[in-house]
Amino acid sequence: MEMEVKQFKKQHFENYKNAIIENIKKNTNTLVDEDIMSLLKKPPLEAMDLIKSKFLDIAKKEKIVLNIEILDKMMEDYRNVVVKCLSEVKDNREKILIKKVEDFKYEKETNVFKLSKKDFNDVNKLNKTVIKNTVKKAINSEIVGKIDELFLDKEVNTQKIKEEITKYLSGSYQRQLIENIEFKIIVKDTTLINGIKEQADRYLFTLSNSRLLKEDLEN
């Protein structure tokens, strides 16, 4: 009977670890597919498209006519390039965090797995680099590198609009985007930390109150 109880406890521990892994996957999927994606996909309203609005504002100020169809295509291509990197972001987060769970060994039955803010440092630094580099390259290849295609009047001097839009995209736009993404990540990190604490409480509660798991203590 004692041997069976030990096996039950070991299985209880493995179930607990598997539940943590599922929590990490769910948390990461929501972070990437919903939270970060909401900042990168096409906005529901034209006025919310920061890059397109900036182009139109500058063009209006400089009295330059733009090809809106090409501008829309540029925005779509830019977003598609950036969104592709999110699968790497998701994989990085899952692999690094799940590895921490898998390395957590059954030594004492009352030991529980914990995550702290510092446990996210490596993966968040890695993913920030992936996103920043992708956004920078996508801006250069899909927007800045194709600006000349936008102008209906090929004789107009476009240097000023190029300089202004490049300054905006490489400066405040990128900075604001990365800050918003980092905020989304911090919120989900905190949610995961708290969720894992709750799982630990449930694990310990079951360990203490399940007749099946404490049978050996009564004999």
Side-chain angles (χ1 to χ4, degrees):
M1 182 63 185
E2 183 178 346
M3 193 65 182
E4 289 182 0
V5 172
K6 288 181 178 180
Q7 290 175 345
F8 282 134
K9 287 184 176 181
K10 186 68 182 296
Q11 185 59 52
H12 180 51
F13 178 78
E14 292 302 320
N15 292 342
Y16 164 57
K17 285 177 65 174
N18 288 335
I20 295 173
I21 290 173
E22 287 305 310
N23 194 350
I24 290 172
K25 290 180 178 179
K26 183 177 179 181
N27 178 278
T28 301
N29 284 335
T30 303
L31 168 64
V32 175
D33 296 339
E34 297 179 20
D35 297 348
I36 296 179
M37 183 67 79
S38 70
L39 300 173
L40 298 175
K41 66 183 181 181
K42 183 178 179 180
L45 301 176
E46 289 287 317
M48 297 171 65
D49 193 328
L50 298 178
I51 300 177
K52 184 175 180 179
S53 295
K54 187 69 174 179
F55 265 109
L56 295 176
D57 288 345
I58 298 173
K60 183 178 180 180
K61 183 177 65 175
E62 299 299 323
K63 296 181 173 59
I64 297 174
V65 180
L66 301 180
N67 187 319
I68 300 302
E69 289 185 4
I70 291 180
L71 180 56
D72 287 338
K73 181 64 166 56
M74 286 169 58
M75 295 299 96
E76 181 183 359
D77 292 344
Y78 160 71
R79 291 190 175 96
N80 287 340
V81 170
V82 178
V83 165
K84 283 181 180 178
C85 84
L86 294 186
S87 59
E88 181 180 354
V89 169
K90 183 186 294 187
D91 287 344
N92 288 340
R93 194 172 194 268
E94 285 188 355
K95 286 177 181 177
I96 291 175
L97 295 181
I98 289 174
K99 180 68 163 52
K100 293 179 183 292
V101 182
E102 292 173 341
D103 289 344
F104 183 62
K105 303 302 180 184
Y106 184 81
E107 296 175 351
K108 184 179 179 183
E109 64 188 36
T110 54
N111 284 354
V112 293
F113 179 79
K114 298 177 182 178
L115 276 181
S116 64
K117 291 183 178 179
K118 68 179 182 179
D119 289 312
F120 295 89
N121 288 346
D122 290 343
V123 66
N124 288 346
K125 183 178 180 180
L126 174 61
N127 281 338
K128 181 179 178 180
T129 299
V130 170
I131 294 172
K132 283 185 71 174
N133 288 344
T134 303
V135 169
K136 184 177 180 179
K137 290 178 182 178
I139 284 174
N140 290 332
S141 63
E142 306 303 326
I143 301 179
V144 175
K146 298 179 180 178
I147 287 180
D148 285 336
E149 300 175 21
L150 286 175
F151 307 115
L152 294 175
D153 184 353
K154 302 303 180 183
E155 302 300 321
V156 72
N157 186 347
T158 60
Q159 188 58 35
K160 190 169 183 180
I161 192 171
K162 285 182 183 179
E163 290 176 355
E164 195 165 342
I165 197 68
T166 300
K167 180 180 179 181
Y168 166 69
L169 292 174
S170 61
S172 60
Y173 170 75
Q174 285 192 57
R175 184 168 59 251
Q176 183 179 355
L177 176 62
I178 298 302
E179 286 176 356
N180 288 338
I181 290 174
E182 286 182 318
F183 176 75
K184 298 283 188 183
I185 291 172
I186 289 172
V187 171
K188 273 296 177 290
D189 288 352
T190 303
T191 300
L192 184 57
I193 289 171
N194 292 334
I196 287 175
K197 286 180 181 178
E198 291 174 4
Q199 285 177 305
D201 291 340
R202 288 196 293 271
Y203 166 76
L204 293 175
F205 178 83
T206 303
L207 192 66
S208 300
N209 293 278
S210 172
R211 182 178 179 184
L212 189 64
L213 295 175
K214 64 177 183 177
E215 190 71 36
D216 61 325
L217 300 178
E218 297 175 353
N219 291 334

